[in-house]
C-alpha cells in the first residue's frame, strides 16, 4: 500500500486538533431542488460517486519509522475498508440549514477513517436542500477541498492538474552533492525564520482587540451566512480604488465596529489583528496535496468611525503586505512549520494550538470557486458559504467566496461566546450599504 507523507503544515494541523477545537474546514452549498425527493437522490449520487474518487479514500496514519526523519510524522494512505456510507449522511428535513450546520461543525471528524464528511440537509419547503462538506485541514486546503467536492458534483470542466514531481525518499543524511546549495538554502531559511519570529513578537505588542473576539474553547459552534451583490462591491472599489478583497476586508472591519457597539462592548481603541491567509499554490496545480499557505497580518481599523477611512487603511495595509511578499512578516508564521521536525510537531501540537490567540485575533480568509455553475443531480447551487476552522481561544472566523455574481460570507463562531452571530451577519449587510452611501454610488 503506497502512502504520501504529510507536509509539515498538514502535520501541524493534524496535531493541534482537540475535541474542543476540531481542525476541519467546511462549505455549505444550498441547492434549488427540482422535486421534494431531490435531497435523498443527492445523497445516493454522492455515495456512488465518492467510491470512484481516490482522494476521498485517503486516511491518515502515524509513521514511527525508527532512525528516520519520518519518525513521529504521519502519512496519507488509501483505506482498504473505505465505505462512502460511513461519510455521507442524509438528515431529516429542516427549515434552517445554518442551525444544523453549526451543530455538525462542532463534531470532530473520525481520525481512523478518511477525514471528510458530506451531510445532506433536505429543506422542509421541498424546493431546496443543502450539502455540508467537511474536510480535515490535514487532508485538504481550500483549493484541494474544492477539487474533491467537485469530483462528486455533476461533471464540469476543471483545469487539468500538472503532474506531480517525484521526490526522493528522505534518509538520515543529505546527498553530499547537494550540500553547497543546502547550506545556502539553510542560511536563507534561518534569516527568514528570524525575520518572521521578530515580526510575530512585534505584532503582539500593544495589542488592541476586544474580549468579544476571544473565548475559552467550549467546543460549540454556530454558523451564519450573508449574501452581497458583487456589483455593489465593484461600485465601491471603482469609487475608492484598491481591490475587491480590500473592500471585503473593510466590510468586516465596519461590521465588527457596528456589532461591538450594538452589543455594548464598544469599539473605541479596538484594532484587532486579522490573519489573511495567502495560498502559495499555483492556481492550475492540484499537486502537491499538502497545504501551501502563508498569510498577511493587518490591524482592522475598527475604532475608526469613518467608513472610507477604514477602507483606505485596509488598502494601505494590504499594499504594504503585498510589497513585502507572503514569505516575510508575522503573517507568514505558518512557513515556520517547514523548519520543525516531525516529532516536535507531535509533541508540541497542544502548545502551538494555545499560541494562536497570541498571533492573531480573527481569521478573514477567501476561498476560490469556479465561475461556472455547480449542480448535483441537475439541481443548481444557488448559495455557497465557506466555513473556516476556529482557532483555539478565538470566538469568530470569517470566510468569503464569490459565486455567480454574489459574495458569500460564511461565519463560524463559538456558540456560547457569540450567541448573537446573526447580529454580526446583519452588520455585514448594513456596512455595505454604509460604504455605498459614503461613496455616493
Amino acid at each position: 500500500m503506497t502512502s504520501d507523507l504529510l507536509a509539515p503544515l498538514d502535520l501541524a494541523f493534524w496535531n493541534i486538533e482537540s475535541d474542543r477545537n476540531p481542525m476541519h474546514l467546511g462549505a455549505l452549498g444550498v441547492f434549488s431542488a427540482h422535486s421534494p425527493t431531490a435531497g435523498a437522490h443527492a445523497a445516493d449520487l454522492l455515495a456512488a460517486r465518492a467510491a470512484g474518487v481516490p482522494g476521498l479514500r485517503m486516511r491518515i496514519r502515524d509513521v514511527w519509522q525508527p532512525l528516520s526523519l519520518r519518525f513521529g510524522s504521519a502519512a496519507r494512505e488509501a483505506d482498504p475498508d473505505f465505505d462512502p456510507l460511513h461519510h455521507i449522511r442524509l438528515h431529516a428535513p429542516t427549515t434552517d440549514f445554518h442551525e444544523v450546520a453549526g451543530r455538525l461543525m462542532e463534531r470532530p471528524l473520525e481520525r481512523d477513517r478518511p477525514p471528510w464528511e458530506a451531510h445532506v440537509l433536505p429543506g422542509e419547503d421541498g424546493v431546496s436542500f443543502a450539502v455540508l462538506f467537511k474536510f480535515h485541514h490535514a487532508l485538504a486546503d481550500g483549493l484541494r477541498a474544492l477539487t474533491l467536492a467537485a469530483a462528486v458534483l455533476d461533471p464540469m470542466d476543471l483545469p487539468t492538474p500538472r503532474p506531480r514531481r517525484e521526490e526522493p525518499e528522505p534518509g538520515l543524511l543529505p546527498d553530499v552533492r547537494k550540500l553547497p546549495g543546502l547550506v545556502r538554502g539553510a542560511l536563507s531559511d534561518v534569516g527568514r525564520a528570524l525575520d518572521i519570529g521578530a515580526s510575530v513578537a512585534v505584532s503582539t505588542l500593544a495589542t488592541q482587540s476586544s474580549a468579544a473576539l476571544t473565548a475559552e474553547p467550549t467546543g460549540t459552534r454556530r454558523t451564519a451566512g450573508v449574501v452581497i451583490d458583487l456589483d455593489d462591491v465593484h461600485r465601491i472599489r471603482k469609487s475608492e480604488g484598491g481591490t475587491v478583497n480590500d473592500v471585503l476586508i473593510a466590510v468586516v472591519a465596519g461590521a465588527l465596529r457596528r456589532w461591538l457597539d450594538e452589543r455594548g462592548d464598544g469599539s473605541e481603541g479596538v484594532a484587532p489583528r486579522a490573519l489573511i491567509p495567502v495560498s502559495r499554490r499555483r492556481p492550475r496545480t492540484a499537486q502537491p496535496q499538502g497545504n501551501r499557505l502563508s498569510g498577511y497580518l493587518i490591524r482592522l481599523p475598527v475604532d475608526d468611525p469613518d467608513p472610507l477611512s477604514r477602507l483606505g487603511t485596509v488598502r494601505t495595509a494590504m499594499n504594504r503586505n503585498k510589497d513585502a511578499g507572503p514569505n516575510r512578516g508575522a503573517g507568514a508564521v505558518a512557513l515556520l512549520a517547514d523548519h520543525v521536525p516531525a516529532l516536535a510537531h507531535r509533541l508540541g501540537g497542544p502548545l502551538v494550538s494555545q499560541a494562536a490567540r497570541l498571533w492573531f485575533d480573527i481569521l478573514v480568509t477567501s476561498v476560490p470557486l469556479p465561475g461556472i455553475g455547480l449542480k448535483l443531480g441537475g439541481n443548481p447551487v444557488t448559495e455557497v458559504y465557506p466555513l473556516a476552522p476556529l482557532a483555539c481561544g478565538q470566538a469568530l472566523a470569517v470566510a468569503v467566496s464569490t459565486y455567480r455574481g454574489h459574495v458569500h460570507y460564511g461565519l463560524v463562531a463559538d456558540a456560547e461566546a457569540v450567541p448573537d452571530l446573526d447580529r454580526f451577519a446583519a452588520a455585514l449587510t448594513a456596512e455595505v450599504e454604509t460604504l455605498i452611501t459614503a461613496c455616493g454610488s
Side-chain angles (χ1 to χ4, degrees):
M1 182 182 298
T2 61
S3 63
D4 176 23
L5 199 66
L6 292 190
L9 189 54
D10 296 341
L11 186 60
F13 286 138
W14 188 245
N15 286 318
I16 66 177
E17 181 174 62
S18 67
D19 289 342
R20 291 193 173 188
N21 277 102
M23 288 303 300
H24 53 255
L25 49 86
L28 181 67
V30 180
F31 296 77
S32 176
H34 292 329
S35 72
T37 60
H41 179 55
D44 291 339
L45 280 176
L46 291 174
R49 292 171 178 174
V53 181
L56 296 179
R57 293 175 169 269
M58 304 304 286
R59 63 183 179 182
I60 296 177
R61 285 288 179 266
D62 293 333
V63 174
W64 297 108
Q65 184 176 335
L67 300 177
S68 168
L69 296 177
R70 289 174 175 263
F71 187 75
S73 186
R76 300 180 190 88
E77 64 179 20
D79 183 355
D81 301 318
F82 175 69
D83 183 349
L85 296 182
H86 289 151
H87 303 266
I88 297 167
R89 290 130 196 206
L90 177 63
H91 294 257
T94 179
T95 58
D96 190 336
F97 296 136
H98 277 288
E99 180 182 3
V100 179
R103 295 197 302 269
L104 293 173
M105 287 295 287
E106 293 179 2
R107 305 176 187 174
L109 294 164
E110 295 185 51
R111 292 171 69 93
D112 59 345
R113 289 176 174 163
W116 69 274
E117 293 174 352
H119 297 269
V120 181
L121 316 176
E124 278 193 357
D125 55 14
V127 298
S128 65
F129 68 91
V131 178
L132 173 67
F133 287 101
K134 293 168 55 178
F135 294 97
H136 199 287
H137 220 328
L139 178 71
D141 60 7
L143 185 57
R144 177 68 177 166
L146 170 63
T147 302
L148 292 173
V152 292
L153 298 179
D154 291 356
M156 63 178 183
D157 294 328
L158 287 177
T160 302
R162 294 178 182 176
R164 184 178 183 180
R165 186 177 64 183
E166 293 297 327
E167 297 290 343
E169 291 289 318
L172 291 176
L173 295 174
D175 186 338
V176 294
R177 295 168 297 180
K178 299 179 179 179
L179 281 177
L182 289 172
V183 171
R184 287 194 299 271
L187 291 175
S188 175
D189 288 346
V190 168
R192 180 186 304 169
L194 290 173
D195 176 77
I196 293 171
S199 297
V200 171
V202 170
S203 76
T204 63
L205 299 176
T207 299
Q208 298 171 295
S209 186
S210 169
L213 297 178
T214 61
E216 288 302 316
T218 67
T220 61
R221 292 293 182 269
R222 186 185 304 274
T223 74
V226 177
V227 182
I228 294 172
D229 194 319
L230 184 58
D231 287 342
D232 289 340
V233 177
H234 280 303
R235 280 199 289 271
I236 298 167
R237 178 189 61 79
K238 290 176 181 177
S239 172
E240 301 302 314
T243 67
V244 166
N245 204 38
D246 294 341
V247 175
L248 298 179
I249 295 170
V251 167
V252 174
L256 284 172
R257 175 183 176 83
R258 187 184 302 267
W259 176 62
L260 290 173
D261 287 343
E262 287 179 353
R263 75 198 318 249
D265 290 313
S267 59
E268 184 177 356
V270 174
R273 298 159 300 172
L275 177 64
I276 318 294
V278 177
S279 175
R280 296 169 61 236
R281 186 197 302 277
R282 293 183 178 181
R284 293 181 177 272
T285 304
Q287 300 285 1
Q289 294 182 9
N291 280 276
R292 306 287 293 173
L293 292 174
S294 180
Y296 297 145
L297 198 68
I298 70 171
R299 286 197 177 276
L300 296 179
V302 173
D303 57 345
D304 188 339
D306 185 340
L308 296 185
S309 176
R310 289 196 295 268
L311 176 55
T313 299
V314 168
R315 184 174 64 246
T316 299
M318 287 298 288
N319 287 340
R320 186 182 305 117
N321 274 297
K322 292 171 187 175
D323 288 342
N327 296 330
R328 294 283 182 179
V333 72
L335 300 181
L336 297 181
D338 293 341
H339 306 284
V340 179
L343 187 59
H345 274 294
R346 184 173 298 276
L347 298 177
L351 181 61
V352 172
S353 175
Q354 294 294 327
R357 71 180 74 187
L358 301 177
W359 172 27
F360 64 97
D361 304 300
I362 185 172
L363 178 74
V364 183
T365 184
S366 178
V367 180
L369 289 176
I372 60 178
L374 302 170
K375 295 182 180 181
L376 179 57
N379 303 286
V381 173
T382 58
E383 304 165 34
V384 184
Y385 300 100
L387 302 172
L390 197 60
C392 181
Q394 295 176 349
L396 178 64
V398 180
V400 193
S401 282
T402 300
Y403 178 71
R404 308 285 283 178
H406 291 88
V407 175
H408 294 82
Y409 280 95
L411 312 177
V412 177
D414 184 291
E416 294 188 17
V418 187
D420 57 344
L421 184 61
D422 289 343
R423 292 176 65 180
F424 177 67
L428 287 167
T429 301
E431 181 62 16
V432 174
E433 297 300 325
T434 297
L435 279 167
I436 291 174
T437 301
C439 292
S441 300

